[in-house]
Amino acid sequence: MIKELIIDSSPNGATIALLQDKQLVELHKEQISNNYTVGDIYLGRIKKIMPSLNAVFVDVGYEKDAFLHYLDLGPQVQSLLKLAKQVRGGSYQAKLLDNFKLEEDISKGGKISDILTKNQLIPVQIAKEPISTKGPRLSSDLSIAGRYVVLVPFSEVVSISKKIKSNTERNRLRKIIESIKPKNFGVIIRTVSESKGVEEMQKDLLDLVSKWEAFVTRLPAVEPGKKVLGEIGRTSTILRDILNPDFQNIYLNDGTLYEEVKQYVKDISPDLESIVKLHKHKEPLFEHFGVDKQIKGAFGKTVNLAGGAYLVIEHTEALHVVDVNSGNRTANKENQEDNAYQVNREAAKEIARQLRLRDMGGIVVIDFIDMHKPTNRKDLFDYLRAEMALDRAKHTILPPSKFGLVQITRQRVRPEMNIVTTEVCPSCHGTGTIRPTILLLDDIENNFNYVLTEQNEKGITLCVHPYIEAYIRQGLVTRQMKWYFKYNQWIKVKSNPAYQITEFHFFSSKDEEIKL
């Protein structure tokens, strides 16, 4: 699998596109004005205690108070509160925890009113960014993530990713970390640590220790509701979490950001430094790599699939609903079960991509086409799970219900990516919308496959707007000529000024309109 990262920088931030085999699978926007990022640590002040929810509302400087539940306090919250009080009071001068006496773990079934009081100060970490009308979701179980390890204060536990299967490798990594980690700090060893040497692991751990020292240094002077320690930028976070030898290229269009990313890649993975490249073409970066076209085609309410089927994606306050439709390209009456199975597999792959691309979270309900064979339903469920395995967000997939519905819950830590893909209609001056013009020829060619292959029509005529006709006929090797070589028959093209710019119709050799 070939992976590429395209980073389009602008004065307001950066848009980051992750491509796998040239197909867009993730899209992230890093806004300069976005002050609340998952992983940031703030000094919060308790504003309101809610015993009925076993939670508190915390002021972290956002317009709405953030939410902190008892289960998100962490077992060592008493040690955190003690450290914060002593550091801000000046009675604890050390930056590490070598001489710090840990408090006992809190009970899992306790009450938050026994731990926290109104107006009390507590360091908290952003677990979920503000979404819709809700403020941030917080955790006081602090952790600082690096490329190979995650540093966890007030603990001595060394945990290893379950994806590292080899017992020999797990023991090797455990011995390395236990020999270099500071006292009263736990460490989580990430999957990418597999086969890494002592030097790389130690450098990553020392970087995290220095961040903790910076947190302790800033804590006495920071005002309540302000940030104490910031997570690295979204660009660097993505590189830290997913960069591996599969990456072929990282393209950027900004010289300053190019130097920063190149240095960051050099620090975390020197052998991949050469893949960072500066885009110098006059053509915009996303347009040059076809990202704009993929965004237009993937973020609409209707998403077309290669075989003629399509998805309809609806969003409500409570959940997301995806309806799978076969369209008119797979209407083989002789074997409807096989057709339904093939369309459902194609849809499952696209749905897994759409969840990552739009960063859809919460509950997702998918209405697949009905299948009668239990083996087909099981195969589809297994195939969907395999496709979703590429998703880095935590998720759970339930088997199909009696009604053929598949339910997915997916972790949501930031607002869903929402891009408007409709364009203002040039014929009605903004009173209506049309499909993106960039996808018009794709739609025409998809219909060619149906009219010429499945309907076996001969001598057809394509009728379009004059602008589209001019585009089809332009150049030495015209689009019309390419169609001739592709479909092995000449397709007549006529214009009709009465058509809207994205309107097209097919006519048979008898000048009768072919219904699509």
Side-chain angles (χ1 to χ4, degrees):
M1 184 180 293
I2 299 173
K3 294 183 180 180
E4 294 177 300
L5 208 60
I6 317 294
I7 304 173
D8 183 22
S9 182
S10 69
N12 296 324
T15 304
I16 307 155
L18 174 61
L19 306 182
Q20 289 182 354
D21 295 330
K22 302 297 181 182
Q23 187 179 40
L24 181 66
V25 293
E26 288 187 25
L27 191 68
H28 303 268
K29 286 197 173 182
E30 183 179 17
Q31 300 292 339
I32 291 176
S33 59
N34 182 12
N35 295 322
Y36 295 89
T37 303
V38 173
D40 288 350
I41 299 177
Y42 285 75
L43 180 62
R45 184 188 292 276
I46 308 298
K47 296 292 287 185
K48 187 185 295 185
I49 297 177
M50 304 292 290
S52 59
L53 299 175
N54 205 16
V56 294
F57 286 98
V58 185
D59 177 18
V60 290
Y62 190 68
E63 55 186 317
K64 290 199 172 184
D65 290 338
F67 184 78
L68 175 63
H69 192 270
Y70 181 86
L71 296 177
D72 295 321
L73 290 177
Q76 274 291 326
V77 65
Q78 296 284 30
S79 297
L80 176 64
L81 292 169
K82 176 182 172 182
L83 178 73
K85 185 176 181 180
Q86 290 183 358
V87 169
R88 287 182 65 83
S91 59
Y92 190 81
Q93 301 290 334
K95 293 181 179 180
L96 295 179
L97 303 174
D98 294 358
N99 301 317
F100 184 79
K101 184 179 179 181
L102 300 181
E103 299 294 308
E104 291 186 4
D105 290 1
I106 62 171
S107 168
K108 290 184 178 180
K111 296 180 179 179
I112 201 162
S113 55
D114 296 334
I115 307 297
L116 301 175
T117 58
K118 190 175 180 180
N119 291 323
Q120 187 176 5
L121 298 181
I122 177 174
V124 287
Q125 194 164 25
I126 305 293
K128 286 186 180 180
E129 294 177 14
I131 296 173
S132 186
T133 59
K134 301 175 183 177
R137 179 78 181 254
L138 304 177
S139 170
S140 57
D141 193 7
L142 305 186
S143 62
I144 306 175
R147 174 151 174 78
Y148 301 120
V149 296
V150 179
L151 188 67
V152 183
F154 314 114
S155 173
E156 289 287 355
V157 178
V158 176
S159 304
I160 305 175
S161 168
K162 293 180 181 178
K163 293 182 180 179
I164 300 177
K165 304 296 184 183
S166 169
N167 287 330
T168 304
E169 179 64 10
R170 294 173 69 88
N171 291 333
R172 185 186 73 87
L173 292 171
R174 186 185 299 277
K175 288 179 181 178
I176 291 174
I177 293 301
E178 287 179 343
S179 66
I180 59 177
K181 80 174 187 67
K183 184 181 177 182
N184 287 334
F185 282 94
V187 174
I188 301 171
I189 301 174
R190 306 182 71 177
T191 308
V192 290
S193 300
E194 194 167 10
S195 303
K196 299 301 176 185
V198 178
E199 185 178 352
E200 293 168 294
M201 301 287 285
Q202 185 175 26
K203 181 180 182 302
D204 195 42
L205 184 59
L206 290 176
D207 287 342
L208 300 184
V209 171
S210 66
K211 287 185 178 182
W212 172 262
E213 291 176 340
F215 163 75
V216 175
T217 302
R218 295 169 188 165
L219 193 57
V222 73
E223 296 179 10
K226 299 296 183 181
K227 187 187 298 185
V228 185
L229 186 68
E231 175 65 284
I232 59 177
R234 186 72 59 82
T235 305
S236 299
T237 302
I238 292 171
L239 288 172
R240 180 193 70 193
D241 292 345
I242 66 176
L243 188 65
N244 59 45
D246 290 342
F247 272 83
Q248 298 288 316
N249 300 294
I250 300 174
Y251 292 101
L252 304 98
N253 61 350
D254 180 80
T256 304
L257 187 59
Y258 163 76
E259 294 295 338
E260 291 177 6
V261 170
K262 190 170 185 178
Q263 184 60 47
Y264 185 77
V265 172
K266 183 180 179 181
D267 290 342
I268 65 173
S269 191
D271 53 322
L272 295 178
E273 181 187 0
S274 60
I275 69 173
V276 183
K277 299 169 184 177
L278 182 63
H279 178 74
K280 297 181 180 179
H281 296 274
K282 292 183 179 179
E283 191 177 22
L285 183 62
F286 272 16
E287 189 176 330
H288 180 78
F289 290 100
V291 176
D292 273 339
K293 183 176 180 179
Q294 292 197 52
I295 291 173
K296 288 285 188 181
F299 277 89
K301 176 181 175 181
T302 302
V303 179
N304 291 320
L305 306 180
Y310 62 94
L311 308 176
V312 178
I313 302 176
E314 296 276 7
H315 307 267
T316 71
E317 184 68 23
L319 48 80
H320 305 279
V321 181
V322 183
D323 185 32
V324 180
N325 295 276
S326 61
N328 55 9
R329 312 297 190 275
T330 55
N332 183 352
K333 296 180 181 179
E334 296 179 0
N335 201 337
Q336 293 183 353
E337 179 76 13
D338 286 350
N339 284 332
Y341 177 67
Q342 293 301 327
V343 170
N344 283 338
R345 275 180 64 95
E346 188 180 351
K349 183 173 184 178
E350 180 61 25
I351 289 167
R353 170 179 172 248
Q354 286 288 330
L355 295 183
R356 293 176 65 191
L357 190 56
R358 303 184 188 215
D359 205 6
M360 292 163 60
I363 301 173
V364 181
V365 178
I366 306 167
D367 182 13
F368 284 107
I369 299 173
D370 289 343
M371 295 185 298
H372 302 292
K373 293 182 180 179
T375 53
N376 284 347
R377 291 198 293 268
K378 183 181 184 303
D379 288 347
L380 176 64
F381 177 62
D382 292 340
Y383 182 75
L384 179 60
R385 289 179 62 185
E387 289 295 320
M388 287 290 293
L390 298 171
D391 195 340
R392 290 180 290 128
K394 295 178 182 177
H395 59 270
T396 303
I397 309 173
L398 297 182
S401 68
K402 289 182 180 179
F403 303 111
L405 302 177
V406 172
Q407 300 172 65
I408 300 175
T409 59
R410 186 176 182 274
Q411 181 187 32
R412 176 165 58 183
V413 296
R414 58 180 59 91
E416 177 187 338
M417 180 67 67
N418 185 26
I419 295 176
V420 178
T421 60
T422 52
E423 299 177 355
V424 177
C425 177
S427 302
C428 59
H429 306 291
T431 58
T433 57
I434 58 174
R435 275 181 55 76
T437 54
I438 196 171
L439 300 175
L440 178 62
L441 286 181
D442 288 350
D443 287 348
I444 291 174
E445 291 186 5
N446 282 338
N447 282 281
F448 275 152
N449 293 329
Y450 171 68
V451 172
L452 299 177
T453 306
E454 296 192 25
Q455 297 295 322
N456 199 28
E457 291 280 353
K458 303 292 183 184
I460 69 168
T461 300
L462 170 66
C463 202
V464 293
H465 188 277
Y467 288 166
I468 305 302
E469 183 203 21
Y471 178 80
I472 291 172
R473 296 185 186 277
Q474 76 170 355
L476 183 62
V477 180
T478 65
R479 179 76 60 162
Q480 199 175 10
M481 186 69 71
K482 292 178 181 178
W483 289 341
Y484 174 76
F485 290 116
K486 183 175 181 180
Y487 300 107
N488 202 28
Q489 64 170 289
W490 186 256
I491 298 165
K492 299 177 184 177
V493 180
K494 289 185 179 180
S495 64
N496 187 336
Y499 283 12
Q500 293 188 14
I501 195 165
T502 57
E503 186 178 355
F504 63 90
H505 296 277
F506 294 103
F507 293 87
S508 68
S509 57
K510 297 179 181 179
D511 206 31
E512 295 174 348
E513 183 176 352
I514 301 171
K515 298 294 183 181
L516 301 174

